Amino acid sequence: MKLPGVENAPKYQGLYVYDFGDWTAVGYTADEIAILAESERYRGGKVYRIHRATPDGRMELQGVSANRLCVESGMFFYRKDLQAARADFELLKDAGETNPPPCRAFVHLADRSPACDTTRYVTALIYAAEYENEMARWLTALAYEGGDIAEGGPSHVSNYQQQSKTILDRQQLWSPQAIQSRSADQVMASVRQAVQR
C-alpha cells in the first residue's frame, strides 16, 4: 500500500486511511469509513487509523475492522439512589464541557424501574466502539468513580437499548477534534481523491 503525500500530516492523526485495492485515500472520518464499508461497490477495502503522524509526513497506522466502526460501545454506571445517579450524570455532563471526550458520545440518566432494586438508575455513556481505549483513558484521567456497579461493552449497549426504561436526562458530548463528516453522496463522489481533506 502506498500512501499519498500530505501537507501538515499531524492534522490527520485520528483520521482514517481506506485501501481500495487499486488506490488508497487518506483523511476519512469514522462515519465516512462506515459509509464505504457498507457500500456494495467499496466494501472489502482495508481500513487503517492514523495513530500517529509526524511533521515530516510519516504516519503510524493501526489496522481496524470496518465492522467495528459501525458498532457502539458504552459504560453503564448503576445506582440504587437517584441522587447519586444524578451526581454521576452531572459529573460526565460537566466533564464533557470542561474536558471534552476523545470522540462524540452521549450520556443518559435512566430509570429502569423499581423492580431493578440496586441497579434501578443508570448513567449510560455510549460512543463508537472504535474509541473504547481512548474513552477508558478519558474516564481514568477524570478519576471518574460513577456507579455502585459498572459494566461496559457493545453487548451492554444492545441490552440497554432493548430495555424498558424512562430517560430522565440526556446530554450529547462533543470532541473538540471532531471533524464534520460528509454525506454519503459527498463521500462517494470523492473516492478517487487521494487526500480527502
Side-chain angles (χ1 to χ4, degrees), residues 24-166:
T24 303
V26 174
Y28 287 108
T29 66
D31 291 338
E32 292 168 351
I33 290 291
I35 290 167
L36 292 170
E38 291 172 354
S39 77
E40 192 169 318
R41 186 171 182 188
Y42 299 115
R43 97 176 46 154
K46 293 181 181 166
V47 180
Y48 302 90
R49 184 164 184 223
I50 302 169
H51 181 64
R52 204 167 289 137
T54 60
D56 65 1
R58 288 184 290 154
M59 294 184 185
E60 182 180 318
L61 304 180
Q62 183 176 35
V64 176
S65 162
N67 293 337
R68 188 164 173 81
L69 294 169
C70 303
V71 174
E72 288 182 319
S73 189
M75 292 293 297
F76 299 86
F77 306 96
Y78 300 97
R79 297 277 193 183
K80 182 176 185 173
D81 177 66
L82 176 58
Q83 187 174 355
R86 182 159 294 284
D88 291 346
F89 174 83
E90 292 296 331
L91 278 170
L92 287 177
K93 179 179 163 184
D94 293 345
E97 293 172 9
T98 59
N99 185 10
C103 67
R104 183 174 61 87
F106 64 86
V107 183
H108 284 177
L109 174 60
D111 181 347
R112 297 176 351 122
S113 93
C116 293
D117 192 32
T118 59
T119 61
R120 176 174 179 176
Y121 300 101
V122 62
T123 299
L125 175 65
I126 299 176
Y127 46 85
E130 169 64 12
Y131 289 92
E132 280 188 319
N133 292 337
E134 290 88 343
M135 290 299 284
R137 282 193 293 272
W138 181 69
L139 290 170
T140 300
L142 294 174
Y144 185 75
E145 297 180 354
D148 298 318
I149 299 170
E151 60 186 10
S155 64
H156 294 291
V157 174
S158 298
N159 294 343
Y160 173 76
Q161 290 171 339
Q162 294 170 7
Q163 290 172 351
S164 176
K165 62 193 166 295
T166 302

